Amino acid sequence: MTIQSSTSERAILEAAEREFMSKGYDGAKTQSIAKTAGVTHAMLHYYFRTKENLFNQVFKEKTGIMMQSIISAFQDTKGSFIERLQKGIEAHFDFLAQNPDLPRFVINELISKPERAELLKERVKDVAGNIAGKLQKEMKELIAACEINDIKIIDLLLDIASLNLFVFIAFPIVKNFSGFFYKSDKEFLEARKKETTQIIINRLLNKQYAV
Amino acid sequence: MTIQSSTSERAILEAAEREFMSKGYDGAKTQSIAKTAGVTHAMLHYYFRTKENLFNQVFKEKTGIMMQSIISAFQDTKGSFIERLQKGIEAHFDFLAQNPDLPRFVINELISKPERAELLKERVKDVAGNIAGKLQKEMKELIAACEINDIKIIDLLLDIASLNLFVFIAFPIVKNFSGFFYKSDKEFLEARKKETTQIIINRLLNKQYAV
DNA sequence: GCTGTTATTAACAAGATTGTTAATTAAAGA
DNA sequence: TCTTTAATTAACAATCTTGTTAATAACAGC
C-alpha cells in the first residue's frame, strides 16, 4: 500500500498541472491538488514547500513546451519560403490542437504576474535566435525582389499568432457557434487551419489594396 | 464627513470593476475592493450582499458594452460591403483600444464559469439578429456574383475577431516586442488596425491560392 | 423635534487556505 | 541487523476571506 516518493511527487505535479491549467494560479487550491493526486496535503508541501514553487515548476515546463513548439514548427528548411511558412503554420496549429488550453494559461499567468516572464527569458531568446533572425533576413530579400508583399516581420508573426491562437484561447465560447456551420469540432478546426494558411498566403502574395 | 449612499455604492462598483478586470474573480478580494473604494468591507456586503452578486453586476455591464460595441461598429449602411466591413473593423478596433482588457476579462470569466453565459444570452441574440442575419444574406449574394471570395460567415468573423482581439488579449506581452519596430504603442496599434483591414480585404477580393 | 428608514461602523464568526511540526513508517546501505 | 535517510501522516496554527450582526449615526418627512 505504500507509495514511493517519486510516484507521489509525480502525482502531485500531474494534478497540479491540471488544476493550474484549468483554474489558474488563484483559482487552484493546494488541498484540491493534493486530493486529486491522492496524497495528504502535507506531502505537497514536503515536496514543493510552497504553492508558488509548485506553480513555477508547472509554468516553466509549459512555457518551455510552448516555445519549443514554435521552433519545431518552423525549423524545416526544404521548399520555398511560402511552402515552409505554410507547413510551419500548420504544424503550430496541430500542436495547439493537442494543447488547447496552453496559450490561455500562459498568457493569463504572464499578465497577472509579469515577473514570471523571468522564468522564460532564456526560451524566448532561443526562439528569437532560431526563428526571427533567419526569417527577417529571408523576408527582406524576398520583399526587395518583390516576390512577397512588404510587411514587417512582427506584423506577419502577429497575424499568424492571432489567427492560430485565438481559436483555442476562446474555444469553449467559439464552439457554441461553430456547431451551426461544421459537423464536428475536428472538422471546424481543420477548416480554421486551412483558413489561416489561406489568409496569410493571400496577404503575402496578392496585390495590396489601399486601406 | 458623511458619505452618501449612492456615492459609496458607486465607489464600490468602480473599485470592483478595476479589481475584477485586473485580477479576475478568484484573484479579486472583497476586502481589497472595499479598501480601494474607501469604505468598510461591511458596506460592500450591505450593498451587494455577496461577492458573486457584485461580480455579476460588473460582468453584465462589461459584456453589455462589448456586445453593443459590435452592433455599433457594423451598423453603418452607407457604401459597399467592403467599405462597410472595413469601417466596422476599424470602429471595433478603436473600441478595443479604449477598452483593452475587456476581451481577456470576458473570455476568462466565461470559460472559468460557463454558467455565466446566461447573463449575456439576450445580448448575444441582439448581435446575432443585428449582424449575422443581414451579413450572411449579403455575403451569399456577393459570393454568388463572384464579387468576393467564397468564405463561411463564421470564418470571416473569426478571422476579424482573432486579428482584432488577440493584440489586446496579449498586449502586455506583445508590447515587449513591438518596441523594436514601432516608436510608440499608439503607432503600433495604428499599424495593427491597418494590417487587419488589409489582410481581411485581401482575403475577400484577391484570387485564392490552393493550400 | 419625533419617527422611521437608510447608511455606516466595529466586532465577530465560520470556514477556507497555506504552511509547519512532531511523531511514525518505510527503505536502503553498512 | 542496525542505522540513517526519506516518505508519510495527523494534528495544529496563522492568516485570509467571506459574510453576519447588533449597535450607532445620518437623514427625510411630518
Side-chain angles (χ1 to χ4, degrees):
Chain A
M1 262 302 278
T2 329
I3 300 166
Q4 278 184 333
S5 109
S6 60
T7 309
S8 290
E9 193 173 350
R10 167 155 306 207
I12 293 167
L13 259 174
E14 277 166 14
E17 198 174 301
R18 265 185 293 171
E19 177 113 355
F20 281 130
M21 295 270 284
S22 62
K23 303 183 187 173
Y25 183 85
D26 290 320
K29 305 296 155 183
T30 55
Q31 300 217 48
S32 164
I33 293 171
K35 197 179 167 188
T36 305
V39 302
T40 66
H41 97 280
M43 285 297 291
L44 185 148
H45 291 287
Y46 173 71
Y47 280 112
F48 299 94
R49 221 174 65 261
T50 65
K51 180 184 180 183
E52 183 86 20
N53 234 291
L54 177 56
F55 175 84
N56 284 346
Q57 224 154 115
V58 171
F59 187 70
K60 228 167 162 176
E61 202 214 315
K62 289 294 168 186
T63 49
I65 291 173
M66 204 177 174
M67 292 297 155
Q68 187 53 48
S69 78
I70 299 171
I71 295 178
S72 311
F74 292 95
Q75 82 183 154
D76 212 330
T77 55
K78 279 173 293 204
S80 71
F81 174 74
I82 292 289
E83 280 166 357
R84 277 176 288 129
L85 190 64
Q86 178 175 343
K87 282 262 194 304
I89 293 170
E90 286 170 358
H92 187 237
F93 188 96
D94 289 339
F95 165 79
L96 292 172
Q98 291 187 314
N99 301 269
D101 35 14
L102 198 47
R104 190 176 51 243
F105 171 69
V106 173
I107 289 174
N108 280 335
E109 300 305 332
L110 222 38
I111 285 172
S112 68
K113 278 210 179 148
E115 322 72 283
R116 284 173 184 150
E118 281 300 313
L119 297 169
L120 48 82
K121 229 174 46 183
E122 289 307 311
R123 302 288 189 151
V124 171
K125 278 188 188 156
D126 282 1
V127 173
N130 242 292
I131 308 289
K134 287 180 225 159
L135 205 62
Q136 180 144 43
K137 186 163 169 281
E138 194 173 7
M139 279 177 64
K140 276 191 178 157
E141 289 167 9
L142 290 167
I143 289 168
C146 288
E147 291 187 31
I148 62 172
N149 290 317
D150 190 17
I151 185 172
K152 285 195 168 69
I153 184 173
I154 191 178
D155 281 309
L156 176 62
L157 292 178
L158 262 178
D159 289 343
I160 296 171
S162 301
L163 292 161
N164 260 2
L165 294 172
F166 182 80
V167 194
F168 295 102
I169 290 174
F171 190 72
I173 298 163
V174 169
K175 196 175 140 66
N176 298 320
F177 305 101
S178 67
F180 296 118
F181 301 88
Y182 294 99
K183 277 180 238 155
S184 65
D185 287 355
K186 203 186 158 197
E187 199 184 314
F188 167 62
L189 289 178
E190 273 306 309
R192 285 310 301 169
K193 181 164 64 172
K194 222 170 177 175
E195 171 65 19
T196 298
T197 55
Q198 176 73 256
I199 201 172
I200 292 292
I201 292 174
N202 263 36
R203 171 66 178 85
L204 291 175
L205 295 186
N206 271 317
K207 75 163 184 189
Q208 300 299 291
Y209 288 89
V211 289
Chain B
M1 263 303 277
T2 328
I3 299 167
Q4 277 184 331
S5 109
S6 60
T7 308
S8 289
E9 192 173 352
R10 166 155 306 206
I12 293 167
L13 259 175
E14 277 167 13
E17 199 175 298
R18 264 184 293 171
E19 176 114 356
F20 282 129
M21 295 269 285
S22 62
K23 303 185 186 171
Y25 183 85
D26 290 321
K29 306 295 155 183
T30 54
Q31 299 218 49
S32 164
I33 293 171
K35 197 179 167 189
T36 305
V39 302
T40 66
H41 97 281
M43 284 297 290
L44 185 149
H45 291 287
Y46 172 71
Y47 280 111
F48 299 95
R49 221 175 62 261
T50 65
K51 180 183 179 183
E52 184 87 21
N53 235 290
L54 178 56
F55 175 84
N56 284 347
Q57 225 153 113
V58 172
F59 187 69
K60 229 167 161 175
E61 203 215 314
K62 289 295 168 185
T63 50
I65 291 173
M66 204 177 173
M67 293 296 155
Q68 188 51 50
S69 77
I70 298 172
I71 296 178
S72 312
F74 292 96
Q75 81 183 156
D76 213 329
T77 56
K78 279 171 294 204
S80 71
F81 173 75
I82 291 289
E83 279 166 357
R84 276 177 288 129
L85 190 64
Q86 178 176 343
K87 281 264 193 304
I89 292 170
E90 286 170 359
H92 186 238
F93 188 97
D94 289 339
F95 165 79
L96 293 172
Q98 291 187 313
N99 300 268
D101 36 14
L102 198 47
R104 189 176 50 240
F105 171 69
V106 172
I107 290 174
N108 280 335
E109 300 305 332
L110 223 39
I111 285 173
S112 67
K113 277 209 180 150
E115 319 77 281
R116 285 174 183 150
E118 281 300 313
L119 297 169
L120 49 83
K121 229 174 47 185
E122 290 307 311
R123 302 288 191 152
V124 171
K125 277 188 189 156
D126 282 0
V127 173
N130 242 292
I131 310 289
K134 289 180 225 163
L135 205 62
Q136 180 143 43
K137 186 164 167 281
E138 193 173 9
M139 279 178 64
K140 275 190 178 157
E141 289 167 8
L142 290 168
I143 289 167
C146 288
E147 291 188 30
I148 62 171
N149 290 318
D150 190 17
I151 184 172
K152 284 195 169 69
I153 184 174
I154 190 178
D155 281 310
L156 177 62
L157 291 179
L158 263 178
D159 288 343
I160 295 171
S162 301
L163 292 162
N164 259 3
L165 294 173
F166 182 80
V167 194
F168 295 101
I169 290 174
F171 189 73
I173 297 164
V174 168
K175 196 175 140 65
N176 298 320
F177 305 101
S178 67
F180 297 118
F181 301 88
Y182 293 100
K183 277 181 239 152
S184 65
D185 288 355
K186 203 186 159 198
E187 199 184 314
F188 167 62
L189 289 178
E190 273 306 309
R192 286 309 302 169
K193 181 164 64 172
K194 220 168 178 177
E195 171 65 20
T196 298
T197 55
Q198 177 73 257
I199 202 171
I200 293 291
I201 292 173
N202 262 36
R203 170 67 178 84
L204 291 175
L205 295 186
N206 271 319
K207 73 163 185 189
Q208 299 300 291
Y209 289 88
V211 289

